[in-house]
Amino acid sequence: MSPDALVRALGRAAAHDVRRTLLAHAPRASDSDLVRRLHTATMRAARVNLARADRLVCATRLVARRLGDASEQARSQRTAGHILSMRGRHRAALANYRAALDRLVSPEAALERAITLSGALQTLIYLGDYERAHAWAAEARGVFTALDDTLRLGRLDSNVGNVLYRQDRFNEALACYRRAHRVLTEHGTPEDVGIVLRNMAVCLISLNDFPQALDACRRARTWCEQHGMPRVAAETDYNIAYLHYLRGEYARAIELYRGTRAYCRRVGDPYHQALCDLDQSEIYLELNLNDEGERLATSAWRAFRALHMRYEMGKALVNMGAAASRAGEGRRALALFGRAREVFGRERNRHWLMITDLYRAMVFLREEDLRAARRLCRSALAYFHDKGPPGKAVLCELLLGRIAARTGALVDARSTVEHAIARAERGEATALSAEGYYALGEIHEALGDGEAAYAAFRQAHAGLETLRSQLASEPLKVAFLEDKRAVYEGLVSLALQREPEVFRSRVAFRYIEQAKSRSLVDLMAFDPSATGPIAESSSGAIAAQRRELIWWYRKIEARETEGAPGTREGGVADMRQRARDCEARLARAQAEVGQADAELNALGGGQAVPLDAIRATIPSDTALVEYFEARGRILGCVVTRDRIEVRPLCDSGRMRTLLRLVQFQLSKFTFGERYASRFAPALLSATLDHLHECHTALLQPLLSLVDGARHLVIVPHRFLHYLPFHALFDGRQFLLDRVSVSYAPSATVYYLCRTRRASSEPRSLVLGVPDPGAPHILDEVAAVSKVLPNPTVLVGSEATFDHLREQGPGARHIHLATHGLFRQDNPLLSAVRLGSGEISLLDLYQLHLSAELVTLSGCGTGLSAVVGGDELIGLVRGLLYAGARALLVTLWDVNDRSTAAFMGSFYARLREHPDKAQALTAAMQSLRAEYPHPYFWAPFVLIGDAAAA
């Protein structure tokens, strides 16, 4: 067997005995050459497959032991140290390096000793032993310089750059990397060049040079692909993902983290796979995606535990504890924080000990253990006041202010929070100052100073609006407002108390709208069919400036979180000045945008459509009735062309109970038709009683305001999205017998639907997917296709998503007769079944429609999860984004037979009269004559523009 073939065989041999057998047949005279070949093969394998590298290390030790030469044994121990370091086992790696150095003490071994010293630097970095790292580097440099060993001097510069980088001496590190790159490009291996390119990219990130950093990352990535270095390529992908995270391009960062994670799994790089999990968990937790955040943090913790990397284990435990705390699991959160504390204690990392104590204080405050919370806050504040980032000191003060307020010491609480706000504003910490102003508003309210409270809430609101405008990903905007709702509730309540009577309803309505479906508004506003094209150059400039601004905000936050002093290179003060410069450029770019773009940016940037613009789209015979839950009360807001008024209605807890009772009665029809027919009178009576109570609470107080209206647009809030308002009963008749009814997620969404341009082509698309559980779907398809103009009918396996995507854009009416599935556990995966499989919300985002009406007749197609700032996550969201002007969907599981009859009746009336709301009302009344219970005729809701086009 040739030496190369033997090395390959040893790399494949998993069993120790197999390796011994292979070596027993190898000539001993070539052992010294074999050790060198094995070392080279091991380091090459380490960049591709760590398991193969481990097997080669074992073989190297066997050969070195058989050879009996101290230098060769030292070489094998050095190789083992390299692989252990790559696996994150740094203390074990250092033990191997030291054992190797103990064998390399003779003058003849000077070169091997210097190589070992240089190779051990990365392990010393991870262990935080910088003084020894510089001493070993200096000793190695002396040897390489004396021997005029250019290649190894280049490698040493690359390693020393890593030491300097870890000490935040970024300019010095970059100089080392550039010097190393020049040498290694000429004299080094492809691995040498790939590693130094990656290191340069990481350093440029820390020097805040995004364009050069991204260019260096891409060069490193290309180099690694060309030279078969998947492990370094994976590390580079991780760095590119982090770049996008810093720029606020969260969706792109998450996409890259996922890809890098899968890549690391394939090539056997558990360390960077775990780093992806840890970083992505932090993104999710910042934006209130707690379940996913905890799942990834737990995955990272398990991986770091296997790698014996305590510091990273501690950070993962902190993220796990934060997720548990936000889920209301205080005891479990404290246990996780306690384990993190043990880790950081063993690491002697006081900074993270104090951060963990701050998290513990938050939990104790939530659990009403004020004494423990105060003790931990004071201890953390004492540390962060002198040694930590200003943001953490602000957070400590805010918590102390809340604790004081809970104990009734309101004056002290006010003083503490005001001091925290001043510190936050000096540090330009917008998120913390917004939190502080909200806390201050609560304290002012408790002190009876409503005017001061209102002013503080307005300041908190301004900060939140600024922060929200920086989020680039739609799902993350949804999550951001999850725990910010209290600010908007406070503003609405105080506006109704503090504003002059002539303005109060207008002001309250503006805040109500800003608390609802903001992310959906952003999606729809950037639909070209809704508001017209964007000037590409101007919007591109604004987007670039915004990304750069987010980059600076994230860098400042990251620097402060790690407890770095502001006086070092790239200090926080310099970053803040760069952020201010970027803010000024952004303002200039926005000022240069044309009027059409300005309107679009106003929508996309989170500003509500002006009230007068909304009013102008409301027909003269229509009233918009918008509901809002604030501080345990339901408010009702009526908007018409000439008036707006907000009134308090009822207790929200009572309304939740009534909704559950209505839903309970409707759920009884799932017991089967025999049960429903047997108890029909009792079921109808009980349901009407509950619908009557809902009418008394939610509609009766507003009837005088909507008198004369022939149509109502209902805009629910939170749990009210699940209530069929059109079926509310006044004791004599249902609401739909008095007026026609449609729905909208918000008044702004209604405005956007009204101003959309629908297709003028008299063409329809009908897709039906029958199955044994819904035998009347074919009847429905036949009835619908008879009355719709120029229908294209696709049934069964022909009713595919591809056909919907191809033929949907030109269709004025689209009807999907198929099963619907609402996923409460994961609403993004709510779906309808087509012949090609299920299509979910994520698939609907790919469609481009201009339909006057899209109908989904399956079960529960109108159900959505209500999350964040009253965002609806379900099929409705996807179809509104895709461009539909109006939707006809269902609120619960429908009866197959009655639905087929209803759809035929609805479309027949729509052909006679183009007003969708009138056709819907007539079809429901007709169906009610045969099926009296609301379960059969009331699940159908019209969302969007209900009027005739």
Side-chain angles (χ1 to χ4, degrees), residues 260-282:
T260 304
R261 187 184 297 109
Y263 201 48
C264 290
R265 193 180 299 118
R266 288 198 303 273
V267 303
D269 184 355
Y271 172 64
H272 281 90
Q273 182 179 332
L275 282 180
C276 289
D277 287 346
L278 185 63
D279 282 6
Q280 195 172 332
S281 78
E282 186 173 345

Side-chain angles (χ1 to χ4, degrees), residues 207-208 246 425-430 466 470 544-557 560 570-588:
L207 283 168
N208 310 309
L246 290 177
E425 290 182 335
R426 286 197 301 272
E428 300 176 21
T430 305
T466 298
Q470 297 163 10
Q545 292 298 328
R546 179 172 288 182
R547 285 194 296 269
E548 183 179 348
L549 185 58
I550 295 169
W551 158 277
W552 288 114
Y553 288 152
R554 294 296 311 169
K555 291 294 292 182
I556 292 167
E557 179 185 3
E560 290 188 340
V572 173
D574 177 64
M575 291 182 183
R576 289 202 185 103
Q577 182 57 53
R578 302 280 287 275
R580 283 192 291 269
D581 294 343
C582 186
E583 287 170 351
R585 290 194 298 273
L586 177 59
R588 288 195 296 270

